[in-house]
């Protein structure tokens, strides 16, 4: 098989933290005086914290100073962390650990490619950090998805070429980033949102090592 490494986005692929991001942004929106819907939240998936805040403010029709933005982003993150600290390992999405174990048995490397600055903390809380040969997160990249930097770094750190890697992503910007980096991509979610992916599945109960080999 030509696939030697798999790169996983975190939020929405390994664990459903998207709901906690959403609740924290919604709380910030409410405090700023506007409603933030679940549909609006789709635009924040895969997007960095500060860029997410800009989108939120655009939705609310608000302009605030840089200083106020920093304070708002910090506040949102504190609320988000309260949820994260209550998370349990059973919130790992169905089939993920099985798939990780299949990759290990087949000597396929595992990398994380996440925009989140909280990624390592989340892996620690879920007790799955040891599965990862390489971790690239929001602290190590300078360009956000759909720029491929997060995945390109992941491949390089695994010592692999883009063609040897497959990316797993739930966000439109993330699928675009994988394709921009010349990698194959499995979309986790809806076909109409992730149409650029090579294949779209609803989750890892629908995807195993045989499906990977057939990509
Ligand atoms: C991505 C999420 O993984 O990380 C985004 O999909 C989030 O919704 C981004 O904004 C940054 O996360 P954090 O934890 O650094 O605020
Ligand atoms: Mg995601």
């Amino acid at each position: 098989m030509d696939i030697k490494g798999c790169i996983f986005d975190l939020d929405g692929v390994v664990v459903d933290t998207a709901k906690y991001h959403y609740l924290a942004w919604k709380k910030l929106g409410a405090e700023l005086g506007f409603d933030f819907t679940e549909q609006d939240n789709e635009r924040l998936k895969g997007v960095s914290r500060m860029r997410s805040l800009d989108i939120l403010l655009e939705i609310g029709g608000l302009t605030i100073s840089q200083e106020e933005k920093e304070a708002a982003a910090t506040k949102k993150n504190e609320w988000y962390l309260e949820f994260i600290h209550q998370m349990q390992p059973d919130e790992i999405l169905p089939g993920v650990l099985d798939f990780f174990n299949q990759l290990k048995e087949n000597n396929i490397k595992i990398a994380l490619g996440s925009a989140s600055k909280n990624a390592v903390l989340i892996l620690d809380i879920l007790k799955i950090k040891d599965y990862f040969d390489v971790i690239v997160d929001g602290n190590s990249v300078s360009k956000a998805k759909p720029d491929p930097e997060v995945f390109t770094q992941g491949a390089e750190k695994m010592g692999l070429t883009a063609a040897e890697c497959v990316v797993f992503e739930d966000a439109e910007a993330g699928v675009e980033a994988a394709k921009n980096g010349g990698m194959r991509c499995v979309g986790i979610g809806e076909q109409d949102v992730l149409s650029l992916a090579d294949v779209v599945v609803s989750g890892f109960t629908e995807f195993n090592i045989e499906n990977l080999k057939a990509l």
Side-chain angles (χ1 to χ4, degrees):
M1 180 172 53
D2 61 339
I3 297 166
K4 301 202 169 99
C6 287
I7 309 178
F8 295 85
D9 173 50
L10 177 65
D11 296 320
V13 170
V14 173
V15 64
D16 184 17
T17 41
K19 63 182 180 217
Y20 302 130
H21 279 297
Y22 170 61
L23 291 172
W25 286 125
K26 193 175 174 66
K27 195 165 169 180
L28 185 67
E31 201 177 275
L32 293 170
F34 61 90
D35 189 32
F36 178 65
T37 68
E38 233 167 313
Q39 197 188 340
D40 294 330
N41 191 54
E42 282 301 308
R43 290 179 62 192
L44 306 192
K45 286 189 178 170
V47 176
S48 74
R49 195 180 306 165
M50 291 314 283
R51 177 73 193 123
S52 296
L53 176 61
D54 283 338
I55 297 173
L56 184 91
L57 293 171
E58 185 195 305
I59 290 167
L62 288 183
T63 312
I64 61 175
S65 70
Q66 189 55 34
E67 215 177 20
E68 287 168 322
K69 276 190 193 175
E70 306 280 341
T74 302
K75 198 185 255 187
K76 180 267 170 179
N77 196 51
E78 280 163 7
W79 288 327
Y80 177 66
L81 288 178
E82 279 174 25
F83 292 121
I84 292 309
H85 281 291
Q86 286 166 34
M87 232 166 36
Q88 300 296 322
D90 68 3
E91 288 182 57
I92 296 169
L93 289 168
V96 169
L97 292 184
D98 249 6
F99 187 60
F100 283 178
N101 288 323
Q102 290 171 32
L103 295 178
K104 293 276 172 212
E105 281 159 23
N106 284 270
N107 291 319
I108 296 170
K109 288 193 174 151
I110 301 180
L112 188 81
S114 167
S116 172
K117 293 187 170 167
N118 296 306
V120 171
L121 172 72
I122 294 170
L123 296 183
D124 271 335
I125 290 172
L126 298 175
K127 299 184 171 48
I128 52 172
K129 198 163 80 192
D130 290 349
Y131 276 102
F132 292 85
D133 299 290
V134 161
I135 292 175
V136 183
D137 65 14
N139 300 298
S140 36
V141 293
S142 56
K143 288 177 244 143
K145 300 170 187 176
D147 188 283
E149 185 186 12
V150 64
F151 300 136
T152 310
Q153 266 196 33
E156 271 169 19
K157 288 187 179 167
M158 289 191 285
L160 302 177
T161 64
E164 291 170 326
C165 296
V166 174
V167 169
F168 295 82
E169 256 294 350
D170 71 314
E172 203 179 349
V175 172
E176 254 184 88
K179 298 318 287 178
N180 286 339
M183 296 178 195
R184 281 166 279 185
C185 183
V186 177
I188 308 290
E190 307 286 332
Q191 173 67 40
D192 53 343
V193 183
L194 306 175
S195 56
L196 284 180
D198 297 274
V199 58
V200 179
V201 293
S202 66
F204 287 94
T205 49
E206 259 184 44
F207 196 87
N208 61 25
I209 193 79
E210 297 311 321
N211 304 119
L212 185 76
K213 288 178 181 170
L215 273 183

